Amino acid sequence: MQTSPITKPGTTKMDYYYLFTICTFIYLVVFMPSAYSNDVEAKASQFFSSGHTNNWAVLVCTSRFWFNYRHVANTLSVYRSVKRLGIPDSHIVLMLADDMACNYRNPKPATVFSHKNMELNVYGDDVEVDYRGYEVTVENFLRVLTGRLPPSTPRSKRLLSDDRSNILIYLTGHGGNGFLKFQDSEEISNTELADAFEQMWQKRRYNELLFIIDTCQGASMYERFYSPNIMALASSQVGEDSLSHQPDLAIGVHLMDKYTFYLLEFLEEVHPASQANMNDLFKVCPPSKCVSTPGHRTDLFQRDPGSVLITDFFGSVRKVEITKETINLMSPTEALIKRSGNAALQVESLTYVDQLPVAQIIHQKPKQKDWHPPDGFILGLWTLILLVFFKTYGIKHLKHIF
């Protein structure tokens, strides 16, 4: 005896289709906004995870004399990058031990180049040097960090940070195992630097601190750090030299150090909304490029380096004002045109100035230079002519010439 499947009277495939459509619609309306809001909350929590409200940078070149041209170029390259990413001059303390732009040996005055094509002038038109020449001393550097400056010191020479400040400290110069030289006349030890950072922490002068040093045996300078929330990077390990990069025949010196050159190359790809993190920064100069072995230290830092954005230190926090009022986003001229109905009134459109294509400059091939006779060539040619003349005619024929 055959049995037929039990079905409710009046049920069709079309009813099941409608039921499926209704369930899908309920899922999209109820659950999808919740998933989207969770994603937005996760991004917002990442944005506010650092807890800082302002950014500062202390950039120091400790070397004098023309043959240390590259150290000034190192510092100005980092200065240019942090300004491009949003840190204003009022929040940058720039210390240059020598003025290479005005040095009498500079074939192109008022310029400092970081690339052998001599097309990337990192000196620019708006450099604000806060400490220059013999003002760059160990004492002044430590006073800037700890805030122990005379009352007469102007604001431009002060580090006015607080417990919500993320600070970038960059040092370059000549160093050794546990010390960094200032102007070849004095030095700062890794213990003095560690104690200065501890004073900053005790005085609530920073929230998080990124320390970068490009010098020989640079890793020895962060070995003694013991204060919290410090991340440190160095261009070389103990016992290794930090090598120079890109010699320029016209200037007669090397233009940059290898580590800072590749650091600049990396920073040129970073923009204010970039998601690049500190793990990416650790890889900017592998031993195959730097020849030395760059090092980093993160045990004192509370956050995972993978969650720390590059812009947390190299960029600037935007000030946001929350309001419930309605804001008119149209410009006054557009509003006037809309009210008057005068379509004949032309408004000049505003555009941003094209930025210097630094990434292309860094990777392009050097220009072919015009050939010029080497030094002494003309003098040597005249000497040869005179020798041939004397050998052929002798001195007795000189009276017929003169």
Side-chain angles (χ1 to χ4, degrees), residues 23-260:
C23 293
T24 304
F25 177 76
I26 293 174
Y27 173 79
L28 292 175
V29 172
V30 176
F31 295 101
M32 286 298 290
S34 176
Y36 176 76
S37 63
N38 291 337
D39 182 61
V40 172
E41 290 177 2
K43 291 183 178 180
S45 62
Q46 181 183 8
F47 179 81
F48 291 107
S49 60
S50 67
H52 74 289
T53 58
N54 57 90
N55 287 80
W56 288 80
V58 180
L59 313 176
V60 186
C61 165
T62 65
S63 299
R64 289 184 65 83
F65 309 118
W66 177 251
F67 57 85
N68 292 318
Y69 180 101
R70 65 188 184 277
H71 295 155
V72 176
N74 290 346
T75 311
L76 290 175
S77 298
V78 178
Y79 170 80
R80 178 187 175 279
S81 295
V82 297
K83 281 190 66 174
R84 180 181 62 85
L85 292 173
I87 301 182
D89 269 314
S90 59
H91 283 209
I92 301 174
V93 179
L94 180 60
M95 308 177 76
L96 298 181
D98 206 341
D99 191 0
M100 299 304 175
C102 297
N103 193 294
Y104 67 93
R105 295 186 182 180
N106 194 340
K108 292 190 175 181
T111 59
V112 175
F113 294 100
S114 63
H115 193 262
K116 58 186 177 183
N117 288 350
M118 296 180 69
E119 292 188 16
L120 181 54
N121 176 22
V122 293
Y123 195 77
D125 300 326
D126 57 349
V127 174
E128 295 186 13
V129 183
D130 302 301
Y131 292 81
R132 66 171 70 246
Y134 289 107
E135 292 181 324
V136 183
T137 62
V138 174
E139 178 183 355
N140 284 341
F141 174 60
L142 294 178
R143 286 184 178 275
V144 168
L145 295 184
T146 58
R148 301 176 182 273
L149 291 165
S152 59
T153 305
R155 290 178 60 90
S156 61
K157 293 189 173 186
R158 293 177 180 268
L159 179 64
L160 301 175
S161 57
D162 54 35
D163 60 342
R164 291 295 183 180
S165 302
N166 274 14
I167 302 179
L168 166 68
I169 297 179
Y170 174 86
L171 299 175
T172 183
H174 291 289
N177 190 355
F179 69 91
L180 175 68
K181 292 198 297 183
F182 272 66
Q183 310 222 28
D184 287 338
S185 60
E186 57 180 345
E187 60 189 35
I188 184 173
S189 68
N190 53 6
T191 304
E192 292 172 325
L193 189 60
D195 291 341
F197 289 161
E198 176 62 18
Q199 287 188 48
M200 294 178 67
W201 176 253
Q202 294 293 341
K203 298 174 70 174
R204 303 170 66 87
R205 290 180 59 80
Y206 74 87
N207 172 59
E208 292 174 337
L209 192 148
L210 176 63
F211 174 78
I212 302 178
I213 185 167
D214 190 350
T215 185
C216 298
Q217 308 190 60
S220 65
M221 291 301 293
Y222 60 64
E223 289 180 340
R224 300 293 181 90
F225 290 175
Y226 55 93
S227 306
N229 283 3
I230 296 180
M231 186 185 302
L233 293 87
S235 60
S236 56
Q237 297 290 341
V238 177
E240 293 182 345
D241 293 331
S242 183
L243 303 181
S244 55
H245 189 60
Q246 290 194 335
D248 188 277
L249 298 179
I251 297 179
V253 292
H254 287 79
L255 299 184
M256 289 189 74
D257 284 322
K258 286 182 178 292
Y259 182 80
T260 303

Side-chain angles (χ1 to χ4, degrees), residues 335-351:
L336 179 62
I337 294 174
K338 188 174 182 180
R339 287 197 301 268
S340 62
N342 184 11
L345 182 60
Q346 298 294 327
V347 181
E348 182 182 359
S349 60
L350 302 178
T351 58

